[in-house]
Amino acid sequence: MNIHEYQAKKIISQYGINIPKGCIAYTPLEAKKAAAEISFRGPWMLKSQIQSGARNQGYFLEKKAGKKGGIRLVKSRREIVQEAEKMLGSTLVTVQTGPKGKSVGRIYVEAFKKVKKIFYTGLVIDRMIPAITLLIADAKDEEIVNLAISCPEKILRIQLDLLTGASPEQIQQILEFLKLKPQSAKSLETFVNGLHQAFVDYDAAMLEVNPAGVLPNGSIIALDAKLTIDDNALYRHKDISLLLDEYETEERELKASKYGFQYSSFDGSIGCIVNGDGIALAAMDLIRAKGSDTACFLNVKGGVDKDKIAAGIKIIMTNPRVEGILINIVGGFLRCNLIADGIISAASEVGLNVPLVVRFEGINKDEAKDILENSKLPIIIADEMEESVDKLLQAMEESD
Amino acid sequence: MSILVNKDTKVIVQGITGTQASFHVKRSLDYGTQIVGGVTPGKGGTTHLDLPVFDTVKEAVAETGANVSVMFVPARFVKDAVKEAVEGELDLAVCIADGVPIKDMLEIKSMLKGSKTKLIGPNTPGIITPGEARLGVSPENIHRPGRIGVVSRSSSLTYEAVIEINRAGLGQSTVVGLGDDTLIGMDFVETLEQFMADKDTEAVVMIGQLGGTFEEAGAGYYKNLCDKNKKPVIGFVAGNAVPFGHKMGYAGDIITKGHVTAQDKMDAMADAGMIVVNNINAIHTELQKLFSAGC
């Protein structure tokens, strides 16, 4: 689960990390008040709170929002109201949001900080070690992802001890890598180990400060913050769960996640229901190889609740982009008959208007096939994955 | 023969009294698996499915001589369950649960380091040696005894691989699901090592998954084997149709390793001398080619 920049900043500031003074605003008036509270004189930063990187390079879909990006520097109080009016309620598109963009519902108003230098900091899990790994780069304008692909040697990688964080030697190593003056050492240590402790305490899957800045006095300051909490550990962080911004997640994905399922959407026309990532991807590869594409898939994982499965199937059946449904289930933990029951109750509730091919294998598969056959629904049955894709594409062609 | 488990393996079940555990333990018993007891803290001294239940793994081991456990405990209790398995000095623990927090897995991995216990999973269907022992939740009815090993990081595609082997008219020596999670116990290298040394395994089907570089590591190990220890490996990794940048799996992978695609993984496997297929349903034809003389 992701949280907003201002929420992540509040968390890391509890660990002694410097952040610019800031306030959240939902209306232009609140933005003006926030600015007054932060400082008597500007400039201030107005930062769109959507969960995406590269907001500064993004653009708004609406003309009224003007040509500037999602992060704006303002100098006067009057300007704050004007700019906040333009940004709030408008749709910000970035390289990460996709062409539909995300609606800006709140703005973080922050004091503008002059810095001598900026750099990238990220904490991730390197699963091959495995350990929490600190990534540092002299990022400047370059995207960290591009850097990771084109010049990985420009990223400093430091393995952190789960209990103790970075050692003094490691801090020294970072200091030299970034060519910082010795006066920054103490602040750098607070910064790195604060991030590490926040990462551990909050069960993070990823924590990025991009960029961090070096103030004229040598102190390190977090100019941005992005925190992703490990979904599997959310039960330990009830306070964080409350921060979920439902507008950030596609409606169907959100619905599916409430039932414990995973929903992913793509650009094609076939809806897949599967019980595993691997089987989903293998089906997608086959669909692509045969000249079509996947609209979405629903992974019901090891679901054992009949009603939840039916609700999940409805999410796919009611997706207007879906022109054919492919169900590939190999039962183990999940038993095939539960899926069969789910298909029937979903179809009877929302109707089955597109071709549906089902392939069952594994635990209770015969029982499941009987259930479908007795239902009299126009369901096509296949025995192998490739055959199921062939049969669906053929049925879709015929129904055109 | 086989790897990791066989008909002589004495198995205990951690979390035996749960509903899902009961369903699958019954099936495993019917399959002939030597399940000798269960562990559920607080229920020691009782019996479940006619098996003795103990409070701790240590007690269960002392009383039954078990050396392997299968865990049906919920994700949030997995860390404690592994700790018990390590303290009980089990050879192997198989963790079925999905959704174990990453931080818990980091702690689990350091617990396992230096212990004699190997972990399979979490988020695995388990391990099965057809005709001998079933540990976990895999659909036993699709398996046939034979001489092809299976090792897979994708639970669902494990079954597909098994079905493909059957289609080729062959069977499985042992089928190992490594687990779908971000962090897992045993990996491809350790499992391939065992298969290469097992005299009853003649070839291996290896199924990879997006995320991490486990497949590359497995390929690296295989490439460096000397020819006399090398058995054919048929490899497959799904995920070529996933568009670049689509959020699937763990986002941190991209900035740690650069974007690693399914094709990158398959290229590494092919470069190591594995037979790579790009359609899961092509596995059986490759197997038929390998064993056209029959085996």
Side-chain angles (χ1 to χ4, degrees):
Chain A
M1 181 193 141
N2 294 316
I3 59 175
H4 287 294
E5 172 195 359
Y6 76 97
Q7 296 162 334
K9 274 184 171 160
K10 194 173 161 201
I11 287 175
I12 61 171
S13 73
Q14 291 160 3
Y15 291 84
I17 293 170
N18 287 327
I19 57 168
K21 201 172 176 195
C23 270
I24 194 72
Y26 291 80
T27 65
L29 194 66
E30 277 180 20
K32 190 177 155 191
K33 278 190 194 151
E37 222 163 277
I38 292 162
S39 60
F40 184 70
R41 275 209 184 84
W44 300 272
M45 303 290 286
L46 300 184
K47 307 182 83 176
S48 303
Q49 295 300 291
I50 62 164
Q51 288 163 13
S52 162
R55 288 166 297 169
N56 197 26
Q57 290 81 34
Y59 62 92
F60 284 96
L61 286 181
E62 294 80 2
K63 256 206 179 121
K64 69 136 186 146
K67 286 206 172 127
K68 283 190 275 179
I71 293 175
R72 297 180 177 187
L73 179 72
V74 291
K75 291 188 176 128
S76 71
R77 291 198 193 172
R78 211 185 56 205
E79 222 186 322
I80 290 175
V81 179
Q82 286 169 355
E83 292 300 319
E85 256 166 14
K86 291 179 190 169
M87 294 161 78
L88 282 164
S90 298
T91 315
L92 182 58
V93 177
T94 73
V95 286
Q96 291 177 13
T97 61
K100 274 193 265 171
K102 282 180 178 177
S103 173
V104 176
R106 46 193 128 164
I107 293 176
Y108 190 43
V109 185
E110 221 178 36
F112 172 76
K113 287 284 172 189
K114 212 166 187 173
V115 291
K116 293 192 292 183
K117 177 191 178 73
I118 57 167
F119 60 95
Y120 170 88
T121 309
L123 274 88
V124 297
I125 305 284
D126 186 330
R127 47 171 145 186
M128 302 312 293
I129 302 177
I132 299 172
T133 302
L134 172 71
L135 307 172
I136 299 271
D138 217 326
K140 295 196 183 72
D141 294 325
E142 192 156 16
E143 279 272 323
I144 187 72
V145 174
N146 297 338
L147 205 61
I149 295 167
S150 58
C151 348
E153 71 283 356
K154 286 191 179 166
I155 301 176
L156 176 68
R157 289 149 211 269
I158 291 187
Q159 196 182 320
L160 299 179
D161 186 279
L162 184 63
L163 297 175
T164 56
S167 66
E169 294 75 27
Q170 288 176 322
I171 297 294
Q172 190 58 32
Q173 197 185 346
I174 302 165
L175 203 70
E176 284 165 21
F177 179 83
L178 289 171
K179 300 187 183 77
L180 296 179
K181 298 216 174 87
Q183 57 168 348
S184 293
K186 201 160 180 349
S187 177
L188 183 68
E189 184 173 8
T190 307
F191 177 72
V192 168
N193 283 330
L195 289 179
H196 174 261
Q197 202 54 50
F199 190 98
V200 173
D201 290 349
Y202 280 86
D203 270 291
M206 200 153 114
L207 172 56
E208 284 178 293
V209 174
N210 184 21
V214 184
L215 293 169
N217 68 2
S219 303
I220 311 296
I221 186 165
L223 297 175
D224 190 13
K226 183 181 173 191
L227 178 59
T228 307
I229 310 284
D230 177 8
D231 288 333
N232 291 333
L234 273 178
Y235 72 89
R236 298 200 274 239
H237 305 281
K238 296 267 170 356
D239 49 334
I240 296 287
S241 312
L242 297 174
L243 300 180
L244 178 72
D245 183 352
E246 299 202 340
Y247 293 104
E248 284 286 332
T249 312
E250 193 187 331
E251 199 186 327
R252 290 171 198 281
E253 191 181 326
L254 190 69
K255 231 190 228 170
S257 74
K258 283 185 179 158
Y259 301 121
F261 305 149
Q262 174 203 355
Y263 177 92
S264 291
S265 78
F266 302 90
D267 297 331
S269 59
I270 293 176
C272 295
I273 298 169
V274 292
N275 64 323
D277 265 353
I279 204 168
L281 298 178
M284 280 177 69
D285 287 355
L286 272 170
I287 291 168
R288 163 73 60 86
K290 291 173 190 294
S292 189
D293 258 317
T294 306
C296 52
F297 75 70
L298 180 79
N299 178 358
V300 296
K301 301 182 182 174
V304 286
D305 183 314
K306 205 157 85 176
D307 295 327
K308 283 186 187 167
I309 288 173
I313 294 172
K314 272 198 305 196
I315 298 174
I316 299 282
M317 284 186 177
T318 55
N319 183 338
R321 276 204 297 125
V322 169
E323 292 165 25
I325 300 175
L326 182 70
I327 301 184
N328 256 288
I329 300 289
V330 184
F333 198 86
L334 169 80
R335 297 160 216 162
C336 293
N337 57 311
L338 291 176
I339 292 284
D341 286 336
I343 294 170
I344 289 169
S345 69
S348 66
E349 212 173 309
V350 297
L352 179 59
N353 310 314
V354 295
L356 170 67
V357 176
V358 179
R359 177 215 167 210
F360 286 133
E361 193 55 73
I363 289 184
N364 295 352
K365 89 168 182 192
D366 294 327
E367 201 182 325
K369 278 188 182 172
D370 286 345
I371 293 171
L372 291 188
E373 268 157 24
N374 293 334
S375 77
K376 308 269 180 332
L377 283 167
I379 293 171
I380 304 163
I381 296 194
D383 290 317
E384 281 140 24
M385 194 189 292
E386 189 169 7
E387 182 199 348
S388 69
V389 176
D390 288 337
K391 280 188 167 170
L392 180 65
L393 292 177
Q394 195 190 339
M396 284 167 72
E397 208 164 283
E398 283 162 8
S399 72
D400 267 349
Chain B
M1 272 294 288
S2 54
I3 68 164
L4 299 165
V5 296
N6 59 37
K7 61 181 190 317
D8 300 319
T9 307
K10 286 187 177 171
V11 183
I12 49 166
V13 179
Q14 292 177 259
I16 192 169
T17 46
T19 324
Q20 297 305 322
S22 303
F23 177 85
H24 286 287
V25 168
K26 237 182 274 168
R27 292 184 82 119
S28 290
L29 283 167
D30 291 345
Y31 197 65
T33 317
Q34 250 201 84
I35 298 177
V36 294
V39 178
T40 299
K43 292 196 179 164
T46 62
T47 59
H48 185 69
L49 307 170
D50 291 332
L51 294 167
V53 178
F54 302 91
D55 282 323
T56 67
V57 170
K58 242 183 184 163
E59 280 174 60
V61 168
E63 292 294 321
T64 64
N67 62 333
V68 168
S69 92
V70 52
M71 296 173 184
F72 278 96
V73 300
R76 59 183 73 182
F77 302 124
V78 163
K79 193 172 86 184
D80 293 336
V82 174
K83 189 162 175 256
E84 279 209 34
V86 168
E87 285 168 359
E89 296 187 2
L90 295 175
D91 293 325
L92 182 72
V94 179
C95 178
I96 306 303
D98 72 322
V100 179
I102 295 172
K103 186 166 76 184
D104 292 9
M105 271 312 288
L106 286 173
E107 291 176 36
I108 286 169
K109 291 287 278 186
S110 53
M111 261 191 257
L112 292 168
K113 221 180 259 174
S115 81
K116 65 178 283 202
T117 310
K118 285 189 182 302
L119 176 72
I120 291 188
N123 197 6
T124 167
I127 171 168
I128 182 166
T129 293
E132 299 198 24
R134 169 189 187 262
L135 277 67
V137 300
S138 43
E140 65 282 9
N141 54 350
I142 64 170
H143 294 81
R144 290 187 203 162
R147 304 172 82 81
I148 312 296
V150 176
V151 56
S152 170
R153 206 148 72 80
S154 154
S155 303
S156 47
L157 292 182
T158 311
Y159 308 150
E160 299 290 346
V162 167
I163 294 163
E164 282 296 298
I165 294 168
N166 297 342
R167 280 176 84 187
L170 302 163
Q172 303 84 35
S173 53
T174 300
V175 178
V176 185
L178 297 179
D180 281 90
D181 276 5
T182 307
L183 298 180
I184 51 175
M186 274 180 74
D187 58 16
F188 283 120
V189 176
E190 289 172 272
T191 317
L192 285 174
E193 261 170 10
Q194 300 233 12
F195 275 130
M196 294 299 143
D198 174 39
K199 66 177 170 39
D200 288 335
T201 298
E202 291 188 2
V204 177
V205 175
M206 168 173 163
I207 309 288
Q209 178 97 306
L210 286 177
T213 47
F214 298 96
E215 294 73 16
E216 288 82 344
Y221 155 78
Y222 186 75
K223 194 174 180 174
N224 291 326
L225 278 178
C226 63
D227 283 344
K228 74 171 168 55
N229 297 334
K230 230 176 211 177
K231 296 169 187 174
V233 173
I234 297 175
F236 173 72
V237 185
N240 267 337
V242 176
F244 181 86
H246 191 279
K247 61 162 190 188
M248 280 239 15
Y250 177 51
D253 273 338
I254 300 178
I255 43 179
T256 23
K257 298 284 168 194
H259 191 74
V260 180
T261 64
Q263 195 58 50
D264 291 338
K265 290 172 181 296
M266 288 196 278
D267 290 348
M269 289 158 78
D271 177 59
M274 297 180 178
I275 303 160
V276 174
V277 294
N278 52 18
N279 168 354
I280 186 113
N281 290 127
I283 291 174
H284 76 278
T285 45
E286 290 301 330
L287 280 169
Q288 278 164 343
K289 272 188 232 163
L290 274 179
F291 296 99
S292 52
C295 77

